[in-house]
Amino acid sequence: MRVLLIGANGYIGRFVADRLLADPAVQLTALGRGDDADVRFDLATGSPGALTRFLDAVHPGVVVNCAGATRGGARELTRHNTVAVATVCEALRRSGCGARLVQVGCSAEYGPSQPGSSTAEDAVPRPGGPYGVSKLAATELVLGSGLDAVVLRVFSPAGPGTPAGSPLGRLAEAMRRAMQSGDGELRLGGLGAQRDFIDVRDVARAVHAASLSAAQGVINIGSGRAVRLRDAAATLARVAGYGGALHELDTPPGALRPTIGHPRTESAGHRVDALGHHRADSLGHHRPEPLGHRGDRAEAEHTSPVTYPYPDGCGSWQQADVRTARDRLGWRPRIALEESLADIWMEAACRI
């Protein structure tokens, strides 16, 4: 089976590439914007005709799209997440290769859900931000294309390679700095959000399974269990061997709140704060910008806008209903969150 993988250098794409390369029946070709891609092509600016000619030449049986943008404004997100997918769909329609399309989507397409509920694929999507809107538009293009296609809606990926700007990445970095400086107290804000974390290697297994299956439509990929970020912090502290105190600094909406990010050390009480402005990170969340981005530290601390560690438009709760993945792909998550956190910490600890 010849597979064309788009976005092989991204966070999820790297693990998908490893998984596919481990299958001796797969011949893998990587297409992307980087110099290390087998074929260089920019989906956001390239024409469907050019991509069609390439598909006719390579004749893949499966096209896997892991590419997309998670940072930037609405225009950039639309170009890389929606227009790019339109290019892929149009090229596949024109091509004679008849390839199956596996599109990697995102749980941000669903938007907020009711606390305590599990979100199934038939839930009405109500994305709460431009990232989710751009990904949902891509899903609708795939579903309406008439192609043999499946969209995997991935919930909150974790594990090795987790971007430093993601919530779990920022948590590990704050803990690393606290341990490095000998701080016995770590103050973290915004730990009340609950998310469905799924190891990125399990996501790669799901993509592989979807490539081999005949399943179509939308399929959720998650653990099926929401975890409060404060519980993830406690687990990470145990894995890291951090013996200091963890203080949660959640405050009511409308008040300035510290968030997991670039900590600063205070001499009184050896406290580590995490204040800062935010911008979108590689998971479609937000990460701190240097405090000097809009003035000095004092100004940033007193005038920064209200921000949250999970401004992904998904509210305080997300949990996947993963029965469809089990029934139609034969897929179940295998890697526990503690192992994912241990791998995140291992990479953070290497920076000490």
Side-chain angles (χ1 to χ4, degrees):
M1 180 176 66
R2 185 179 297 278
V3 177
L4 176 64
L5 175 59
I6 305 171
N9 290 326
Y11 173 37
I12 292 177
R14 291 195 299 271
F15 289 92
V16 171
D18 290 343
R19 179 73 186 184
L20 294 174
L21 287 170
D23 184 344
V26 170
Q27 293 179 301
L28 185 66
T29 300
L31 180 148
R33 292 181 292 171
D35 292 336
D36 50 354
D38 296 322
V39 179
R40 292 190 65 182
F41 188 84
D42 189 341
L43 292 175
T45 59
S47 70
L51 184 57
T52 299
R53 290 190 291 273
F54 173 74
L55 291 172
D56 288 338
V58 175
H59 214 77
V62 178
V63 174
V64 176
N65 183 26
C66 295
T70 54
R71 290 182 285 181
R75 177 177 295 182
E76 183 179 3
L77 291 169
T78 300
R79 187 169 71 249
H80 289 288
N81 294 337
T82 309
V83 174
V85 171
T87 298
V88 173
C89 291
E90 181 61 24
L92 283 170
R93 278 196 297 264
R94 296 183 187 181
S95 172
C97 69
R100 171 172 171 79
L101 174 61
V102 179
Q103 166 73 12
V104 176
C106 178
S107 63
E109 297 173 40
Y110 286 120
S113 56
Q114 184 68 29
S117 67
S118 293
T119 303
E121 290 84 356
D122 60 357
V124 177
R126 294 186 176 89
Y131 174 68
V133 169
S134 68
K135 293 294 286 186
L136 176 60
T139 291
E140 295 299 334
L141 286 169
V142 171
L143 298 180
S145 66
L147 300 169
D148 174 14
V150 63
V151 177
L152 303 183
R153 276 193 180 139
V154 178
F155 278 64
S156 299
T162 292
S166 71
L168 291 181
R170 294 201 303 272
L171 177 61
E173 176 63 12
M175 197 164 292
R176 180 193 71 80
R177 293 191 181 198
M179 294 179 70
Q180 186 176 25
S181 58
D183 291 303
E185 191 173 2
L186 187 59
R187 304 175 69 199
L188 304 167
L191 299 184
Q194 298 181 70
R195 289 294 182 268
D196 188 329
F197 295 106
I198 179 69
D199 194 275
V200 67
R201 292 160 292 193
D202 279 335
V203 174
R205 287 179 43 248
V207 171
H208 187 202
S211 300
L212 300 174
S213 79
Q216 296 186 342
V218 174
I219 300 179
N220 289 339
I221 303 299
S223 70
R225 182 174 69 96
V227 175
R228 199 178 300 273
L229 199 55
R230 69 168 64 97
D231 295 331
T235 300
L236 185 64
R238 184 173 69 252
V239 166
Y242 177 66
L246 297 179
H247 293 289
E248 186 174 353
L249 297 177
D250 279 338
T251 55
L256 294 179
R257 67 196 295 173
T259 58
I260 301 168
H262 297 291
R264 64 177 176 84
T265 302
E266 294 180 347
S267 58
H270 299 286
R271 297 174 178 175
V272 177
D273 263 343
L275 290 164
H277 298 291
H278 289 67
R279 62 185 178 188
D281 70 19
S282 58
L283 292 180
H285 307 137
H286 280 55
R287 66 180 182 182
E289 294 178 354
L291 290 175
H293 182 72
R294 293 186 181 179
D296 60 20
R297 180 182 300 271
E299 180 185 351
E301 290 175 0
H302 291 292
T303 65
S304 59
V306 177
T307 53
Y308 299 86
Y310 259 111
D312 53 4
C314 296
S316 63
W317 171 277
Q318 264 203 337
Q319 178 174 283
D321 182 330
V322 294
R323 289 175 294 180
T324 302
R326 178 196 64 199
D327 297 341
R328 299 176 65 188
L329 300 181
W331 174 91
R332 288 179 174 83
R334 294 178 180 174
I335 300 175
L337 179 58
E338 184 166 354
E339 182 176 344
S340 303
L341 290 170
D343 289 328
I344 292 172
W345 174 249
M346 183 67 68
E347 292 180 348
C350 290
R351 297 193 289 270
I352 295 181

